[in-house]
Amino acid sequence: MAEELIASNGGTIPSHPYRSWVEVSLTRIAENFRSIRALVGDGVEVMPVVKADAYRHGAVQVSNTLQAEGAQWLAVSNTDEGIVLRDAGIQTRILVMADFLPFSREELIANRLTPVIHSLEDLEALNRLAAKHQQRIVYHLKIDSGMGRLGVRPDQRIAEAILAAQHVTLEGLMTHFASAGNYQSPQTDQQVATFQQVLDLCGRAGVYPAIVHLSSTIPIAYSRKDAWREMVRPGHAIYGYVSPARGHAPPRQLDVRPALTWRATVLSVKDVPAGTQVGYGGMFETQVPSRLAILAAGYADGIPHRLSNKGQAIVAGRLAPMVGAVSMDLCTIDVTDCAPVRPGDAVTLLGAQGDVSIDAQEIARLAGTISYSVLCGIHERVKRIYVK
Ligand SMILES: *Cc1c(COP(=O)(O)O)cnc(C)c1O
């Protein structure tokens, strides 16, 4: 398809009347979801993670697509994100993974969201809330098996506390890995073992959560099957990404492809002589007579400032270097070696065109960050378009 665009449009992409936009393929999202399901098999539920506006792919559209594909569960970070989905008519179960703040509890319950509880104190609070509402509330409990972030640390009193909370029902027991992609570290094996001890303790007390879940993208993609259990929680993979593993990782089993392409419109093109300084701080100086294209996107749109003098854009199937500092609303690329570009033409900041591609991992590497942060950093003012 990319070739067609080049051929039909003198080397540029069909323009939209936007300074910068993303094209999200819902077909790709659906395919990625199906690939994950096929890998984990029928016995394992797949709960796509659509927090942070579906990693900026658009939570409502992505959730509608996943619901239509048969997803029974979706996961969000907080109550507000869950409410957005309920207001849009999403009927799946929705797990709220990082909230249960006192000021969001009532709304959480009113919107039929399922809370993750992170401490025994919060479990008591949930129990009181259920008693007050005379309503049985179903919850998941998170165990801190070694990440040292959210969750109850292993504790003899966990089973007792679950049994004592008589107005609520434990449905899920979960944990999250700190170093899933690092096969040089024993941390994941240790976390699995620690979590299993908590499960065993619960079992001895007669507490058997119906849904045990531990795995985000990496333990799915590299087939750490002892961490799949009843449900898995892929985020990154839904959007087509799997971070490379470190150390002696087993071969990656999952095939997914990026669903998002990010474009920016050329605002101005100019020819400058050798020795021209470009942008704030004169960070770049042309060595030869050069043609510059100034793009209508900057760090306020989500282009990492650290791509200054390091980033790239695809212009008519060819990589053009970013020159000078990325500024708030603009950045500059050197198009001297590219096919002619005019103001109003679009270039690709993230995506594939012809034989070249730039994905979020590549951008992250150049900017010294992670691909998750690149995707989530795409600002709301960047328009979103849904394509096949
Ligand atoms: C964000 C998140 C996930 C998804 O992680 P990916 O690496 O994007 O698959 C899963 N579980 C929890 C608890 C999370 O916060």
Side-chain angles (χ1 to χ4, degrees):
M1 193 181 91
E3 276 84 354
E4 269 169 40
L5 296 182
I6 296 168
S8 67
N9 201 1
T12 58
I13 297 148
S15 289
H16 289 278
Y18 304 128
R19 301 170 62 86
S20 180
W21 72 93
V22 293
E23 294 161 12
V24 176
S25 166
L26 295 173
T27 309
R28 211 35 94 63
I29 298 273
E31 285 167 2
N32 292 340
F33 177 59
R34 279 183 226 140
S35 297
I36 298 165
R37 284 188 124 173
L39 176 62
V40 299
D42 286 341
V44 180
E45 192 70 48
V46 175
M47 174 170 65
V49 177
V50 295
K51 66 191 178 191
D53 198 21
Y55 296 39
R56 291 297 298 142
H57 292 62
V60 169
Q61 288 83 350
V62 167
S63 299
N64 273 321
T65 301
L66 294 167
Q67 179 173 257
E69 286 292 316
Q72 304 292 310
W73 282 91
L74 295 169
V76 295
S77 183
N78 58 57
T79 301
D80 286 350
E81 292 179 342
I83 292 173
V84 166
L85 298 186
R86 285 287 181 248
D87 287 349
I90 296 292
Q91 294 296 331
T92 64
R93 297 288 303 280
I94 298 177
L95 189 69
V96 178
M97 296 194 297
D99 199 337
F100 207 61
L101 282 160
F103 52 78
S104 43
R105 289 172 189 170
E106 295 285 347
E107 289 268 64
L108 191 151
I109 304 310
N111 283 277
R112 294 173 293 114
L113 308 174
T114 304
V116 172
I117 297 299
H118 307 105
S119 71
L120 299 185
E121 295 71 46
D122 280 355
L123 178 52
E124 279 176 33
L126 183 72
N127 193 48
R128 286 194 299 273
L129 193 65
K132 184 183 107 187
H133 284 272
Q134 299 190 314
Q135 177 193 342
R136 181 150 289 278
I137 300 174
V138 171
Y139 70 99
H140 291 212
L141 185 67
K142 187 169 191 178
I143 304 301
D144 174 5
S145 59
M147 182 161 181
R149 202 180 59 177
L150 282 175
V152 184
R153 290 171 60 80
D155 183 324
Q156 299 293 333
R157 298 169 307 154
I158 291 176
E160 198 183 304
I162 293 168
L163 292 169
Q166 291 187 349
H167 302 282
V168 293
T169 302
L170 176 75
E171 178 183 41
L173 199 72
M174 66 182 282
T175 193
H176 194 47
F177 297 129
S179 305
N182 186 355
Y183 280 83
Q184 288 159 335
S185 158
Q187 194 176 8
T188 308
D189 289 335
Q190 286 163 359
Q191 285 195 256
V192 171
T194 301
F195 183 74
Q196 187 59 49
Q197 281 166 10
V198 175
L199 258 181
D200 292 345
L201 247 140
C202 287
R204 282 199 287 281
V207 173
Y208 299 99
I211 309 175
V212 170
H213 51 110
L214 311 86
S215 294
S216 58
T217 290
I218 290 197
I220 300 169
Y222 294 94
S223 263
R224 197 185 278 268
K225 292 191 182 169
D226 62 341
W228 288 359
R229 311 298 290 252
E230 281 82 30
M231 187 159 79
V232 292
R233 308 186 301 263
H236 220 205
I238 292 287
Y239 310 103
Y241 287 92
V242 177
S243 302
R246 263 186 283 164
H248 289 289
R252 185 178 139 179
Q253 301 291 327
L254 181 66
D255 183 31
V256 288
R257 289 181 299 160
L260 179 147
T261 298
W262 185 6
R263 319 267 199 204
T265 300
V266 174
L267 190 64
S268 180
V269 179
K270 63 163 112 189
D271 292 312
V272 297
T276 302
Q277 293 183 312
V278 179
Y280 284 117
M283 272 176 79
F284 181 82
E285 189 173 311
T286 56
Q287 300 301 305
V288 293
S290 301
R291 176 165 292 173
L292 305 178
I294 294 89
L295 307 182
Y299 61 76
D301 299 281
I303 300 177
H305 181 260
R306 291 179 64 181
L307 285 187
S308 298
N309 269 342
K310 284 193 193 142
Q312 294 173 312
I314 307 172
V315 179
R318 218 186 148 115
L319 287 173
M322 282 186 189
V323 291
V326 173
S327 43
M328 188 181 293
D329 311 297
L330 304 167
C331 66
T332 302
I333 56 175
D334 184 329
V335 294
T336 312
D337 299 327
C338 300
V341 276
R342 292 166 309 251
D345 286 348
V347 305
T348 303
L349 297 172
L350 190 171
Q353 197 194 4
D355 294 334
V356 285
S357 74
I358 304 172
D359 68 11
Q361 254 141 17
E362 175 74 4
I363 294 173
R365 197 180 55 75
L366 292 172
T369 180
I370 57 173
S371 51
Y372 294 75
S373 169
V374 170
L375 292 173
C376 292
I378 300 173
H379 194 265
E380 261 184 60
R381 80 178 188 185
V382 176
K383 292 284 184 294
R384 220 158 26 212
I385 294 171
Y386 290 92
V387 298
K388 277 276 175 200

